[in-house]
Amino acid sequence: MINITAVKITTFTEEGAFVFESTFEQSLNIIRGDNGMGKSTLVQAIFYGLGQEELLGGKNSKFVQSCLTQAIEKDDGSYVTAHGSSIEIQLCNGKDDLTIKRCAAVQGRDDRLVELTFGPLLTKPDVGYRKEPYYLHDGGGATNKSYGFHKRLEEFIGWELPMVPATGGREAPLYIQLIASAFLIEQKAGWSNYLSTIPYLGVSESKKRVIEFLLDLDVYRVELKRKQNDADLERHKNNWKSKYEDVERLVAADSISILGVKRYPHVDFDRNDAHLIIETESNILTLPDYLDHLESELIKLNTLISPKNYEVNAELEERLEQSAQEIHTLADEENELRSLLALEYAQKQETNNGISDIKSQIEKNEGARKISKFGAEIDSDTLNGVCPTCHQQIKDALLPVDIAALPMSIDDNIVYLKNQKKISEAYLSSCETNISTIRQKLESNRKRQKELRGDVANIRLQLVRDPRLPSEVHIRDKIKLEDEIIRYKGFISSFDRVVDEFGSLYDGYMKALSDKKGFSKDGLSEGDHKKLSYFSSVFRQLLTKFEFKSCDIRFIKISNENYLPIIDSSELVNVTLRNDSSGSDFTRVMWAYTLSLALASKEYSANHPLFIFMDEPAQHAVSNENVRELFKQLSISGCQVITANSFSNSDGVFEEQTNGVKFKLIRFEGKLLKPSVV
Amino acid sequence: MRFVKKPIHLPVNYRFSYQLSIIILIIQYSCQKNVGSSTLKLQLLAWALRDEVGCESLLNRLKDKRTDRKFSFWALDPSLNRAIEFALADGFISIKNEKFHITDKGQKIISKIDNERAFLEEILTLKRFGKSLTESFVNDVLRNNND
C-alpha cells in the first residue's frame, strides 16, 4: 500500500519563490479549485513528481503545465517569468516515509534526476535523513537496482514486478507506469476508457497483465508455466533434431540411413524399432547384419593364401575396365545432381522471398481491416463501402471504374493470403528435404568416385610389376575390409548411445506433451474465479449505488478473458459495457470499475496500492447525488483517495455533492501558487 | 452452361482503408503540422513504403543533401490518387494552401491506429524520414529524376 502524506510545489521566479503546500489524510481528500486557477497544475505536478508523467502523454517536463516551467499568472492577472519548479511528494507505505524531490526545467538540473530522502521531510523537516539520487527513464530506470527510481519506488510500495511477455518474443518487466494507469485517473483522457492512459512500452496485452497483477491472479503464474512448457517442448525438439542430424552426418557418406526414428520427436517412437540400414547392390540390410556378412568375408580372405600377380592379371584387367565404366557413370550422375541442387536452392530462395512478401501483405491487410471496421464507429461513408459523393458501392476497393472485377472482402482476402502462406511454407519444407537428400547423394557419389580412382591407380601400377610378387590389390582389399568393419562398429556403438538419449528425450517430450493438455483453457485457477466473481459483485453493487441505467445490472459481470465489464445475457453475449453505455453512464462504470478493482484487491490482500487519484470525476451529466454517492463510497473504501474538482465553480454544487461525506478539504482561493512569505 | 464470377484477390494498395491510413500516417509523421503535405509528397513517401530498395536510396539522398546525386526511378500510384479524393470527400483530410491536412475526423484514425498498434512497420519507416523531408526536397527529387 501507499499514501501521499504531503505535497509541496515551489516555482522559482524573478520575484522569488511561489509555493503551494498541503498535507493529505489517509482517507478521502478533496482538492477544490475553480477552473483556471491551477488545479490541473497540481494534478500534473503530482503525476510528474511520482515519475508517472507518461500517463499525461510523454516524458520529462515538456508535458507539464507551462506555469511550472515558463511563466506563472499572479492573483492580479499579471505574469512573472518562471525558472522552473521543484516538486516534493512525501509518501508513506504504512511503515516508512519517503520524500521524492524532482525538478522540472530547472537550469543545470536534469529532469530525470530524482532525489529521495528517507524520512518525512515535509511534515518533520530534519537535515539528518539519508538522501540518495536516482534516475528516471534511463533505460535501466526500471531494472537498475542502484539508481532506477521506478525500481526503488516499487520496493517502497512492496511490489515485486513480474516479467511479462513483450512484443517480438522478448520479456519485459511489468513497468510501474503501466500499473499506475489503473489508479491514477487523469481528467482529459483518463475517463474515456479503462486504463486508457496506459503508455505503450512494448508489453503485450498490457491492460490484462496489469489487472492480473493488481488482483494477484494465479493465471499469470499458470501463463508462465505454460510458456515454460512451450519452451521445454521446443528444447526437446531441438535436442532431438540435433542428435538426429549428428547421426545423419556421420553415416551419410556410406549410403546408410536411419530407420524408425524421425527428424523430430514422434509419439510412436520405440527404441527397439530404431535401426541403421545399409543398401547394398542386391538388398537392404540392417547394419549389424551387414557387419556379420563383412566379417565372414574377412575370414574367407584370411584363410586364402594371397595370390601372385601372374595368377590374377586377367581378373585385374577386367576390374579395371569395370571401374573405369563406373567412374564415368558416377561423374555423369554428379553433374546431374549438382544442377538439381542449384535449382532447389534457387527455388528455396524464391519461396522464402515470397513468404516474407505474403507476411508483410497480411500485416498490412490486418491493419487495413482494423481501420475498415472502425468505420462503423465513426460516421464515414467510404469506410462503410459507399462513395460519399454518388453513394454507389465501392467496397473498400480503389480499382478504376471500368474494371468490372469483383474484389474479395478484406476478411476473405486475409484468409486467402494466410492459405497462400501455408502453401508456400509446405513447399519450402519440401525444398529443404530435397536439398538434404541431394546433398547426401552427392557426398556418397564423390566418396565412391574417390575410392574407384584409387583402385584404378593401384591396379594399373600392379599390372606393370613383377608377375611373381604377391597381388597387392588383394592385400589392399583385405585391409579395406578390415577398415570398414572397424568403422561400422563405431557407427553401431554411437548409434546405440544416441538411441539411449532419444529414449530419455522421448520420455521428457511425452511428459511435456501431457502437461500441455493439463492447462485449463482460460488458465484461471479456482482462487482466480473467486476473486473475479467478488470483483463482479462489488462492481454491480457500486453500479446500483451510482444509479447506472443503460442496461440491466444483473447481466453485467467482469469478463474472464480481459477482466473488463461485459454484458452477458440471453440476448446479448459478451458485449462490452463500454459500447453499450451512454456517456454519463460510462462515467459511472469507470467510477465503479476503478473502486471495485481496489476493493477486490483489498479483500484478498493482493497488490493494489489502495491509493486512488481521480481528477475531475464529475464528467458528463452525472447528477450531484451520484457524485455525493461516489464521494461517500470513496470515503469508506479504506483507500487513500485524492480527487480534484471544480464543483462548477459554485458553493451550492460543492455543498450538495459533499453533504454528509467525511473528507479533508484542500481549498485554494485564487491561484494555486502564492508568493512565499519568508 | 453458367459462369459464376469469383471474387479476386486484391493487392492491399487497392484497399481504401489501407491507403487512407497511409495518407494520414504520412501527414502525421512526416509533415510539419502547419505545412501539411502535397500530392507529390504523399506519392513519394507512399512509394518509399512500397519499395524497400527505393526507400533506402531515398533515405540516403535525404541524408547527404547533394542535389547532383542521381536518384533511382520512383512511381506514382493511381489508386493513391483515388484514395486521396475519397478521403477528401469523406472529410478525413482537408485542403489548405494546396496542401492536405488532417481533420478532426482524420485524427480519430490516428488514435485508432495508435490504440491497435497497427501499421508499426509503416510508422517506423516514416519516423526514419521524419519531418526533415520537405516539399522543396520533393521538388528537387522530381527535377533530378527528369534530367
Side-chain angles (χ1 to χ4, degrees), chain B:
Chain B
M1 201 144 58
R2 275 182 59 200
F3 292 98
V4 182
K5 218 176 197 175
K6 277 253 168 84
I8 55 157
H9 158 66
L10 197 62
V12 75
N13 62 317
Y14 282 101
R15 293 270 172 214
F16 172 69
S17 40
Y18 178 72
Q19 294 285 36
L20 171 68
S21 310
I22 293 306
I23 293 167
I24 289 188
L25 286 173
I26 291 174
I27 306 180
Q28 172 80 4
Y29 288 103
S30 297
C31 299
Q32 302 285 355
K33 225 178 192 146
N34 47 1
V35 178
S37 174
S38 65
T39 316
L40 276 178
K41 185 169 175 182
L42 288 177
Q43 283 283 7
L44 180 61
L45 281 169
W47 166 78
L49 290 176
R50 285 198 302 278
D51 185 325
E52 242 172 85
V53 183
C55 179
E56 290 306 318
S57 73
L58 185 61
L59 273 166
N60 284 335
R61 175 73 165 69
L62 186 62
K63 242 184 267 164
D64 71 4
K65 304 279 180 207
R66 289 214 320 261
T67 43
D68 58 321
R69 198 168 149 149
K70 273 277 179 193
F71 174 69
S72 61
F73 177 75
W74 62 286
L76 300 174
D77 178 4
S79 64
L80 183 69
N81 283 348
R82 278 177 222 124
I84 294 173
E85 280 174 38
F86 279 130
L88 258 181
D90 206 352
F92 288 111
I93 52 175
S94 61
I95 291 196
K96 208 165 72 191
N97 299 334
E98 297 174 23
K99 300 284 194 307
F100 300 111
H101 296 262
I102 305 178
T103 60
D104 288 349
K105 189 169 170 184
Q107 211 63 47
K108 286 185 190 162
I109 301 283
I110 290 281
S111 36
K112 179 70 180 170
I113 292 173
D114 269 7
N115 283 341
E116 297 279 355
R117 314 281 165 225
F119 302 117
L120 291 177
E121 207 179 307
E122 281 83 356
I123 292 175
L124 210 69
T125 310
L126 288 174
K127 279 186 175 165
R128 286 176 72 196
F129 284 104
K131 309 208 169 180
S132 57
L133 197 154
T134 59
E135 292 292 344
S136 61
F137 175 84
V138 176
N139 288 332
D140 263 5
V141 168
L142 189 64
R143 205 175 309 127
N144 245 233
N145 225 20
N146 288 342
D147 288 345

Side-chain angles (χ1 to χ4, degrees), chain A residues 516-560:
Chain A
K516 191 182 174 74
K517 281 189 194 125
F519 292 116
S520 72
K521 213 169 176 194
D522 57 6
L524 294 169
S525 71
E526 215 171 297
D528 291 350
H529 280 292
K530 242 189 241 163
K531 285 179 190 177
L532 288 173
S533 91
Y534 182 81
F535 185 10
S536 285
S537 78
V538 175
F539 178 70
R540 277 193 299 267
Q541 283 165 24
L542 288 174
L543 279 185
T544 318
K545 288 192 172 123
F546 299 149
E547 298 182 320
F548 175 86
K549 290 268 159 44
S550 287
C551 67
D552 192 334
I553 292 174
R554 280 175 304 163
F555 294 129
I556 295 174
K557 62 171 209 175
I558 301 293
S559 156
N560 285 346

Side-chain angles (χ1 to χ4, degrees), chain A residues 124-181:
Chain A
K124 275 192 211 138
D126 188 336
V127 287
Y129 299 132
R130 189 163 60 91
K131 278 184 188 184
E132 266 175 37
Y134 283 83
Y135 265 96
L136 251 176
H137 310 310
D138 201 23
T143 46
N144 187 331
K145 239 187 161 125
S146 49
Y147 292 105
F149 167 65
H150 283 150
K151 186 78 199 165
R152 190 68 194 79
L153 189 59
E154 277 162 46
E155 284 173 5
F156 185 74
I157 300 174
W159 280 344
E160 196 175 315
L161 297 187
M163 296 297 282
V164 290
T167 49
R170 292 176 305 120
E171 281 211 329
L174 186 65
Y175 299 99
I176 200 167
Q177 303 93 299
L178 301 174
I179 306 171
S181 66

